[in-house]
């Protein structure tokens, strides 16, 4: 009797399913559009069954950005994202963000822009963070916000804070790479929409990235850098042992 | 008796007060920010009065984009635009657009992004147009829209129309440089917000640019290009003898 | 008796064989050259025949632009295009274009430039069109042309037409993304050569993209946008139910 | 007797003398070189003395980056920086940085690169910081360093710390925009040289930008963001009431 | 009696009138067009005559690329170059080049492309050279040419020569920055047109730049680099004591 | 009895293992980092053994730059290069270069910068060469150097040599694409470190690329270009029949 072996040759062109972002100057598109393929694993498994051996090979390949879908297979839904009507789930800061980037709106690939809905509980806070690859232009749709950004070390004589109180209909700019925050100073929920100058803007929540990475930064470094005693550093590391929200 | 002459040496570093736009890949910023100076004429007139002659020289100089304000004079208001709360004035298509670009939000200069509020009367239309320097990502805040874009001549076997019916909370992408439109198909007003991947995205309303430029395109060219008789061309030229809305 | 099944696992890295174009700022090359691979299907089919099942999987993967050929296999012919000596076939406008882009001259990939030969019958017309991803610099080799382009809506106070009568040896620039045309005003054939600032400049023939896409744009939208009655719109849609020439 | 009035018309084309930086993709040069002019005030004062009025006007104009010197006046010294032989003055972290950017090596303007000498006392620390506009490639010339960077929020499942112990001759990369640090873990001084992918890379020292900007960020925001009590926030603000070193 | 002094305050925003060139990725335009101002001296002299002193100040300021003309003053001629009908004057290599760049066709500014007419005597040679900022795509209009380029040191196992014999209608690509040449191998004159992927592509004729700069490179360096005896180096320096043709 | 055939389907995504380089404006990264995969052949061979035929197909695919490694598999070593402590092997010019680029430090991929250690014997020479895709910023760590670069043909009135004598701690800039050299004028060894504005800067050693490519440039072309007699050309070709050092 014959024995049939199987070979599963996964040509898995994985795409990072997470935080990649793109600067204000994303490389330009070289065709009308590129509908990003961000879950190639599912679509591209090739299982070869044959009768002499069993091999299971996974090859993960990425490119700068995303692979593109065959344009003959593109559908209108590739350019659509439908879940921006309702607020996201608020985190412990009373804040949520729903990001529409090339990762969940594949038609954005190569086009250098993304969008986010920001929701805030009363006194909710989008804590100090940077977008390593995008400028943000924020429009208040509901609520009153104390917002600000800090210039880099030497601009205009050192770290300068630029703040503004924003009301409904106000638009404010947070330049690329600078630390900024948005604080709902009203006792009612608020929300807004931000445009971001990248297909994948990225976010670095300062407190989480400094005190919460995995593995943690050495206590010695943080104690010296923040001029805190080691116990306070350890307390902070305990608070932020989770990655920041997007 | 002496005769005092005047010399007005306008060192007028004019900035085009109108339609300039920037592609998805605007050149990147080379400092934290550049607050654009878009009305230099007013600020920079230098009038030299002296006693031997009268000369009035205007020197208009521009750069690619905008000159930047002295960063020591930058104020929070340079990053703020406050007029997006209310709809703009609707035109004869039942449509209005309020663009927030580097021209009216000077802090956007060099940052590669802009924003627009789009308002529609019932059955209002943002007619077929292109943004020569930006992709648009449109979010419906109120209303129901029939939207679409057309691929370029040879993509996927010729000009292909990609359309979608959008409801509140839907997000749709119009790739850079392609002809697209938004049509409010509901009997109530609608509006939305668009992010654009340039500090100055530009707009070319097709009907106006073809049939309405100043001076007009020759009737011979238009009759042949659109396979219309000359009288129909002249009729259309009469309808569109005005520039398109932004 | 055994039954032999077949599996054809097409690892088809398709490259769009059609309309992709690249802006004046195509992303720069990261090696001496990249000879584009634009017919991967033919070269890369992998048919696996085996004895237990039959599966036919096609996986089409693209990148922004084109994949590159192994540089060790590059030949001088990869940098050569040989068919620009003779005119192309004239269309119903009395016009033909032979485009030399990364699609048919693979050595142009990543290099940000392409070329076209434009031929005109007497009174032939290259009708109003845009290149979404390139500026065009046109040199007249034979003939006399009425050429022009239209600025965007708000430049210099609205859509402004800039025209010129060109003779042999004249060179004229059509800035990126703006609507432009070339009309042979002589009663003899004419031709010229254009450089385009992209490896794949793209073209959108206005009449065809507006009145001829597949499927057509709704008559309601076009009637309102062009202020025409629905019957005239339908007449125009019948004229342009074919994609524009490249 | 006549009365001579003076008019001092300072055509002051100021250049920000401080922190501007440029991303990995600084806009490319459009000539062989552009020797930046970063102290125009001194060179360009034009004092007009005349007999009817006194006016003192200062017009400060900047561009994205720097103005260029007349190439006919360029000298070899414009491409030279001579002070990298000796360590800089160490700050309270036991660290100093000497940055060679377009601000003090004017020939770097438009060329997209800069350099820094980093000096460390025993156990000296370059505390967590970002370069908003550059990747850093660091070479150890003397000493042993514990270095690391943190990925952005969603990369690879949250803020991930990537660290390495570096010895003399080791080269390490800190990708653009990510928080990173360098800690001399030896009991002898150490130093190294870093290349940065911008003519003006910028730096944001996290502790100083968060707890030390002028004016300070609201205690409410910081207490909530870092989950600290207000007194601890005020303590930290007292420690960092000075801008970070470059 | 009064004595009238003169002050000539030349606000001379000089533009380098010579060799600047731009890479395949010239920074993108930020408006419909920028008509370069390349002879500001003539237009912008401001002569202030007054009665107390004489001062003559020339302030030369450039930007990366060119300043732009006030768009309200733009004329169709700004986009036209009319002298490409006839061959240029042949040099001692039997070669001439007429370059149409942003320097003599101001409407090309910011648009990332230029053009050249190349003329060759029988056996005329465009000697080995590079374009530091552009790829060249060459079309033969008359003649037969032996053309080639050399890859960089390590590509494909060292400097590899790629050559081709070109006839009328052939198009060939010379990738950016690589050394290349064109040699008319026929006994009749030949000519062609080249597109270049920059508004100002630059050219470095190898023999002239190595053996003919002003001042000369030290004989020691050249003798060692080319493994020639000093007398041969001096002979070559005598031959090339003139800059190369554009 | 059955006959088992084999099919070896090598999905070989080769990466050029050699000289590619990237301009000052490398396309920007679209994620935190891309660890380049530069030896895909080894990792990605897929051998399918089956029972009806034998096929051996090698498909080599590259992208502009490099493919990226699955970020979940990234390790700190991907950002480390450890061999810069010691000098490289000196060539016949008394010179060696150790380049740290995306080819041997994969974490540099997409980040637009690289580094090199340059070592010189007494009177060692880095002969005239260009980097087609990078500006170089050179720091002297030991020794005294005569360095220089030559402007392009028309800059400032022809090929102009700009030189400087450098001592320890001096930093000098060689703008992108221009011919330059470094000569150790001391009787002791010297070395320095250069930053280069590309992940893969490329190098073209002039003498080798002109007189030493494979196959050689025609003697006729070189004799005419350098105004040498054919025998001298043949002598030079014999000297440089080897590619230049990196």
């Amino acid at each position: 009797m014959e024995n049939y072996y199987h070979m599963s040759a996964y040509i898995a062109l994985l795409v990072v399913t997470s935080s990649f972002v793109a600067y204000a100057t994303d490389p330009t598109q070289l065709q009308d559009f590129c509908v990003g393929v961000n879950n190639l694993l599912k679509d591209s498994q090739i299982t070869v069954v044959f009768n002499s051996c069993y091999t299971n090979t996974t090859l993960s390949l990425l490119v700068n950005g995303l692979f593109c879908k065959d344009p003959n297979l593109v559908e209108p839904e590739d350019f659509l994202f439908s879940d921006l009507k309702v607020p996201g789930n608020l985190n412990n800061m009373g804040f949520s963000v729903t990001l529409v980037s090339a990762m969940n709106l594949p038609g954005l690939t190569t086009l250098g822009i993304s969008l986010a809905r920001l929701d805030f509980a009363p006194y909710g806070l989008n804590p100090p963070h940077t977008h390593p690859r995008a400028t943000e232009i924020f429009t208040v749709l509901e609520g009153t916000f104390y917002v600000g950004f800090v210039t880099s070390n030497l601009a205009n004589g050192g770290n300068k804070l630029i703040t503004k109180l924003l009301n409904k209909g106000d638009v404010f700019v947070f330049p690329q790479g600078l630390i900024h925050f948005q604080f709902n100073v009203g006792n009612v929920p608020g929300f807004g929409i931000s445009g971001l100058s990248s297909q994948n803007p990225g976010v670095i929540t300062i407190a989480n990235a400094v005190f919460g990475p995995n593995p943690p930064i050495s206590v010695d470094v943080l104690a010296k850098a923040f001029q805190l005693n080691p116990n306070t550093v350890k307390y902070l590391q305990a608070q932020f042992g989770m990655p920041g929200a997007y």
Side-chain angles (χ1 to χ4, degrees), chain A residues 6-218:
Chain A
H6 302 72
M7 177 202 181
S8 296
Y10 297 72
I11 314 276
L13 294 102
L14 274 183
V15 181
V16 53
T17 58
S18 49
S19 88
F20 59 120
V21 187
Y23 278 84
T25 49
D26 285 12
T28 323
Q29 84 246 51
L30 290 157
Q31 51 287 315
D32 280 1
F33 46 74
C34 160
V35 173
V37 184
N38 59 8
N39 192 355
L40 278 178
L41 192 54
K42 192 180 60 181
D43 297 333
S44 68
Q45 283 187 10
I46 298 172
T47 303
V48 181
V49 181
F50 63 105
N51 67 351
S52 64
C53 66
Y54 178 92
T55 312
N56 187 326
T57 305
T58 299
L59 169 62
S60 296
L61 281 180
L62 305 169
V63 290
N64 187 24
L66 292 170
F67 285 99
C68 314
K69 191 175 174 178
D70 179 352
N72 292 306
L73 305 177
V74 163
E75 299 175 341
E77 287 69 27
D78 291 325
F79 299 94
L80 176 70
F81 179 88
S82 289
D83 301 330
L84 215 63
K85 191 167 36 182
V86 293
N89 295 321
L90 299 170
N91 65 10
N92 67 333
M93 294 281 162
F95 170 68
S96 83
V97 57
T98 307
L99 179 71
V100 185
S101 75
M103 292 312 301
N104 51 12
L105 179 41
L108 279 175
T109 308
T110 73
L111 298 179
I113 195 166
S114 59
L115 204 83
R117 175 183 172 133
L118 309 181
D119 287 281
F120 299 80
Y123 307 110
L125 174 67
N126 186 1
H129 63 285
T130 70
H131 300 294
R133 290 179 287 274
T135 286
E136 178 177 351
I137 177 168
F138 174 60
T139 305
V140 179
L141 293 174
E142 292 296 342
T144 305
F145 293 90
Y146 164 68
V147 304
F149 67 85
V150 182
T151 63
S152 67
N153 286 12
L154 297 188
N156 311 319
N159 306 114
K160 187 171 168 182
L161 178 67
I162 294 183
T163 59
K164 201 71 196 169
L165 199 69
L166 302 185
N167 295 300
K168 183 175 178 174
D170 283 353
V171 179
F172 200 80
V173 182
F174 304 101
Q176 186 172 349
L178 302 187
I179 296 177
H180 61 289
F181 61 87
Q182 294 134 340
F183 186 34
N184 178 5
V185 294
N187 59 1
V188 292
F191 80 104
I193 283 188
S194 283
L196 294 138
S197 62
S198 165
Q199 73 176 47
N200 206 336
V203 67
I204 299 172
T205 305
I206 298 301
N208 299 66
V210 170
F211 295 107
N214 177 18
I217 297 176
S218 122

